[in-house]
Amino acid sequence: NSLELALEYCDVRHERQQAQLEEAKARGDALKSLSNECAYIPLVKVALSSDPDSDRGTAAAIQVLALRRDSIDKAAALRLLPKNIPMSSVVRPFLIPAVVENESQVRRLAVASSLLRSRYIQLKQKLTEAQLKSQASLHSALALKKLNLGDPIHSSKPTKARPVHAASPNYPDVMLIKHFFPRHLVIQAQVMNNANATNNQGNARTLADVAFVIAESSDEALVPTMELPLKTVPPGATGSVWCVLAASPQRLDGAAFLTCELRFTVLEVDAATGTPLNFSEGGGGGATDIANIGFGGRTYVEELQDIEVRHTEFG
């Protein structure tokens, strides 16, 4: 009949509109230039105005709403109906099925959201593990390989880095290793985020944006040239951050002292998933609080005791 043909025509228009919207999104174009009117609204208007019998016209309009309730602009369509229409004539054929379908869609989207979040967490964990592994040693750190440092002369024994001032409760354990090359000094800071460590609120913590920085060198024979930070060190994990210095051992007069800092951001984590949570509060302590970052964590700078470097250590 004529209603079926009209619905088929509107279906084609609706599909074309959806295709145009998808193409515009893919191109990044503004959507305002496209027609915003639902493809079925003109049919509702025609149904209401074309029949001399207003009751039959209203019934036909409600039938359009009922048949295309999953696609039609519900709010716009309901505003077109006569204001004196009995609620019962709309509730059973249109409103109740629409509400049921919407609730079902909400449940489906909630399930899909949970699945996507789970997949996202898995990918983030794998990415973090891969970065920690890639920066664990001189031989695995790709950024260090690209520097063509040459063969190492020797490496020092690990020593524990100690803060100059009273450390904040969020300060992790840090071990320092000096790697000596003919023209470079590479300092490795192994940052251990104890699995039992918590922030000020008693929640497990993740360390983010971890960097070891040489703030000053007492001798121009040692000049910092590059830092290799870590994006994330999860609870219970150990990650290495690096600082590379250009060295001129023949110009080094006796010993040089390096003023160094550990910079990191503390994020609390979900106890069930181990993933960082957003929060606005943060701890104080002996560290300098330099910023509240966009995800709500609090960033610290811990000044460490100077590192002594002797010219004899270059061989």
Side-chain angles (χ1 to χ4, degrees), residues 140-156:
S140 62
L142 182 60
L144 297 179
K145 288 182 180 179
K146 292 181 179 179
L147 297 177
N148 297 319
L149 299 172
D151 296 327
I153 298 171
H154 76 95
S155 298
S156 68

PDB file of all heavy atoms in Angstrom, residues 140-156:
ATOM      1  N   SER A 140      69.312  -3.440  25.507  1.00  0.00           N
ATOM      2  CA  SER A 140      67.931  -3.489  25.015  1.00  0.00           C
ATOM      3  C   SER A 140      67.337  -2.124  24.723  1.00  0.00           C
ATOM      4  O   SER A 140      66.341  -2.029  24.007  1.00  0.00           O
ATOM      5  CB  SER A 140      67.042  -4.221  26.037  1.00  0.00           C
ATOM      6  OG  SER A 140      67.016  -3.522  27.271  1.00  0.00           O
ATOM      7  N   ALA A 141      67.941  -1.065  25.250  1.00  0.00           N
ATOM      8  CA  ALA A 141      67.387   0.283  25.065  1.00  0.00           C
ATOM      9  C   ALA A 141      67.726   0.791  23.665  1.00  0.00           C
ATOM     10  O   ALA A 141      68.884   1.125  23.364  1.00  0.00           O
ATOM     11  CB  ALA A 141      67.920   1.233  26.126  1.00  0.00           C
ATOM     12  N   LEU A 142      66.725   0.845  22.806  1.00  0.00           N
ATOM     13  CA  LEU A 142      66.939   1.216  21.407  1.00  0.00           C
ATOM     14  C   LEU A 142      67.495   2.631  21.276  1.00  0.00           C
ATOM     15  O   LEU A 142      68.375   2.898  20.454  1.00  0.00           O
ATOM     16  CB  LEU A 142      65.630   1.088  20.627  1.00  0.00           C
ATOM     17  CG  LEU A 142      65.683   1.385  19.123  1.00  0.00           C
ATOM     18  CD1 LEU A 142      66.656   0.434  18.441  1.00  0.00           C
ATOM     19  CD2 LEU A 142      64.286   1.264  18.515  1.00  0.00           C
ATOM     20  N   ALA A 143      67.000   3.567  22.095  1.00  0.00           N
ATOM     21  CA  ALA A 143      67.461   4.958  22.016  1.00  0.00           C
ATOM     22  C   ALA A 143      68.950   5.055  22.335  1.00  0.00           C
ATOM     23  O   ALA A 143      69.658   5.906  21.768  1.00  0.00           O
ATOM     24  CB  ALA A 143      66.650   5.827  22.971  1.00  0.00           C
ATOM     25  N   LEU A 144      69.450   4.215  23.232  1.00  0.00           N
ATOM     26  CA  LEU A 144      70.873   4.221  23.559  1.00  0.00           C
ATOM     27  C   LEU A 144      71.699   3.604  22.435  1.00  0.00           C
ATOM     28  O   LEU A 144      72.817   4.053  22.143  1.00  0.00           O
ATOM     29  CB  LEU A 144      71.121   3.472  24.869  1.00  0.00           C
ATOM     30  CG  LEU A 144      70.465   4.069  26.121  1.00  0.00           C
ATOM     31  CD1 LEU A 144      70.763   3.210  27.340  1.00  0.00           C
ATOM     32  CD2 LEU A 144      70.928   5.503  26.356  1.00  0.00           C
ATOM     33  N   LYS A 145      71.151   2.570  21.800  1.00  0.00           N
ATOM     34  CA  LYS A 145      71.864   1.939  20.684  1.00  0.00           C
ATOM     35  C   LYS A 145      72.105   2.929  19.553  1.00  0.00           C
ATOM     36  O   LYS A 145      73.151   2.917  18.894  1.00  0.00           O
ATOM     37  CB  LYS A 145      71.065   0.744  20.159  1.00  0.00           C
ATOM     38  CG  LYS A 145      71.052  -0.466  21.071  1.00  0.00           C
ATOM     39  CD  LYS A 145      70.271  -1.606  20.417  1.00  0.00           C
ATOM     40  CE  LYS A 145      70.228  -2.839  21.292  1.00  0.00           C
ATOM     41  NZ  LYS A 145      69.448  -3.936  20.649  1.00  0.00           N
ATOM     42  N   LYS A 146      71.112   3.798  19.303  1.00  0.00           N
ATOM     43  CA  LYS A 146      71.223   4.753  18.200  1.00  0.00           C
ATOM     44  C   LYS A 146      72.322   5.791  18.421  1.00  0.00           C
ATOM     45  O   LYS A 146      72.736   6.463  17.474  1.00  0.00           O
ATOM     46  CB  LYS A 146      69.883   5.460  18.003  1.00  0.00           C
ATOM     47  CG  LYS A 146      68.773   4.559  17.476  1.00  0.00           C
ATOM     48  CD  LYS A 146      67.480   5.339  17.294  1.00  0.00           C
ATOM     49  CE  LYS A 146      66.376   4.449  16.734  1.00  0.00           C
ATOM     50  NZ  LYS A 146      65.097   5.189  16.580  1.00  0.00           N
ATOM     51  N   LEU A 147      72.802   5.932  19.660  1.00  0.00           N
ATOM     52  CA  LEU A 147      73.829   6.923  19.946  1.00  0.00           C
ATOM     53  C   LEU A 147      75.229   6.465  19.542  1.00  0.00           C
ATOM     54  O   LEU A 147      76.163   7.277  19.542  1.00  0.00           O
ATOM     55  CB  LEU A 147      73.821   7.264  21.446  1.00  0.00           C
ATOM     56  CG  LEU A 147      72.541   7.917  21.984  1.00  0.00           C
ATOM     57  CD1 LEU A 147      72.666   8.133  23.485  1.00  0.00           C
ATOM     58  CD2 LEU A 147      72.267   9.238  21.285  1.00  0.00           C
ATOM     59  N   ASN A 148      75.368   5.164  19.212  1.00  0.00           N
ATOM     60  CA  ASN A 148      76.685   4.619  18.841  1.00  0.00           C
ATOM     61  C   ASN A 148      77.738   4.959  19.898  1.00  0.00           C
ATOM     62  O   ASN A 148      78.757   5.595  19.625  1.00  0.00           O
ATOM     63  CB  ASN A 148      77.125   5.146  17.466  1.00  0.00           C
ATOM     64  CG  ASN A 148      76.196   4.695  16.362  1.00  0.00           C
ATOM     65  OD1 ASN A 148      75.753   3.540  16.346  1.00  0.00           O
ATOM     66  ND2 ASN A 148      75.892   5.584  15.427  1.00  0.00           N
ATOM     67  N   LEU A 149      77.467   4.539  21.113  1.00  0.00           N
ATOM     68  CA  LEU A 149      78.339   4.871  22.240  1.00  0.00           C
ATOM     69  C   LEU A 149      79.675   4.137  22.190  1.00  0.00           C
ATOM     70  O   LEU A 149      80.639   4.560  22.826  1.00  0.00           O
ATOM     71  CB  LEU A 149      77.635   4.530  23.553  1.00  0.00           C
ATOM     72  CG  LEU A 149      76.312   5.270  23.826  1.00  0.00           C
ATOM     73  CD1 LEU A 149      75.633   4.697  25.069  1.00  0.00           C
ATOM     74  CD2 LEU A 149      76.555   6.762  23.993  1.00  0.00           C
ATOM     75  N   GLY A 150      79.727   3.056  21.436  1.00  0.00           N
ATOM     76  CA  GLY A 150      80.933   2.238  21.424  1.00  0.00           C
ATOM     77  C   GLY A 150      80.881   1.177  22.516  1.00  0.00           C
ATOM     78  O   GLY A 150      79.858   0.964  23.178  1.00  0.00           O
ATOM     79  N   ASP A 151      82.011   0.519  22.724  1.00  0.00           N
ATOM     80  CA  ASP A 151      82.074  -0.528  23.744  1.00  0.00           C
ATOM     81  C   ASP A 151      82.228   0.098  25.127  1.00  0.00           C
ATOM     82  O   ASP A 151      83.019   1.044  25.314  1.00  0.00           O
ATOM     83  CB  ASP A 151      83.257  -1.464  23.483  1.00  0.00           C
ATOM     84  CG  ASP A 151      83.098  -2.218  22.172  1.00  0.00           C
ATOM     85  OD1 ASP A 151      81.937  -2.511  21.823  1.00  0.00           O
ATOM     86  OD2 ASP A 151      84.117  -2.489  21.506  1.00  0.00           O
ATOM     87  N   PRO A 152      81.481  -0.420  26.117  1.00  0.00           N
ATOM     88  CA  PRO A 152      81.606   0.134  27.474  1.00  0.00           C
ATOM     89  C   PRO A 152      82.960  -0.201  28.079  1.00  0.00           C
ATOM     90  O   PRO A 152      83.515  -1.283  27.864  1.00  0.00           O
ATOM     91  CB  PRO A 152      80.467  -0.561  28.230  1.00  0.00           C
ATOM     92  CG  PRO A 152      80.181  -1.808  27.457  1.00  0.00           C
ATOM     93  CD  PRO A 152      80.481  -1.495  26.030  1.00  0.00           C
ATOM     94  N   ILE A 153      83.515   0.758  28.838  1.00  0.00           N
ATOM     95  CA  ILE A 153      84.776   0.527  29.535  1.00  0.00           C
ATOM     96  C   ILE A 153      84.522  -0.346  30.761  1.00  0.00           C
ATOM     97  O   ILE A 153      85.162  -1.376  30.954  1.00  0.00           O
ATOM     98  CB  ILE A 153      85.416   1.875  29.934  1.00  0.00           C
ATOM     99  CG1 ILE A 153      85.722   2.692  28.694  1.00  0.00           C
ATOM    100  CG2 ILE A 153      86.682   1.642  30.765  1.00  0.00           C
ATOM    101  CD1 ILE A 153      86.163   4.116  28.994  1.00  0.00           C
ATOM    102  N   HIS A 154      83.563   0.070  31.559  1.00  0.00           N
ATOM    103  CA  HIS A 154      83.116  -0.745  32.693  1.00  0.00           C
ATOM    104  C   HIS A 154      81.880  -0.098  33.296  1.00  0.00           C
ATOM    105  O   HIS A 154      81.508   1.034  32.948  1.00  0.00           O
ATOM    106  CB  HIS A 154      84.226  -0.900  33.750  1.00  0.00           C
ATOM    107  CG  HIS A 154      84.421   0.320  34.595  1.00  0.00           C
ATOM    108  ND1 HIS A 154      83.829   0.494  35.826  1.00  0.00           N
ATOM    109  CD2 HIS A 154      85.143   1.455  34.380  1.00  0.00           C
ATOM    110  CE1 HIS A 154      84.176   1.667  36.331  1.00  0.00           C
ATOM    111  NE2 HIS A 154      84.970   2.272  35.473  1.00  0.00           N
ATOM    112  N   SER A 155      81.235  -0.807  34.217  1.00  0.00           N
ATOM    113  CA  SER A 155      80.054  -0.302  34.926  1.00  0.00           C
ATOM    114  C   SER A 155      80.304  -0.380  36.419  1.00  0.00           C
ATOM    115  O   SER A 155      80.950  -1.322  36.905  1.00  0.00           O
ATOM    116  CB  SER A 155      78.807  -1.111  34.562  1.00  0.00           C
ATOM    117  OG  SER A 155      78.523  -1.009  33.175  1.00  0.00           O
ATOM    118  N   SER A 156      79.789   0.617  37.131  1.00  0.00           N
ATOM    119  CA  SER A 156      79.978   0.636  38.583  1.00  0.00           C
ATOM    120  C   SER A 156      79.020  -0.338  39.251  1.00  0.00           C
ATOM    121  O   SER A 156      78.052  -0.811  38.647  1.00  0.00           O
ATOM    122  CB  SER A 156      79.736   2.048  39.112  1.00  0.00           C
ATOM    123  OG  SER A 156      78.355   2.393  38.983  1.00  0.00           O
TER     124      SER A 156
END
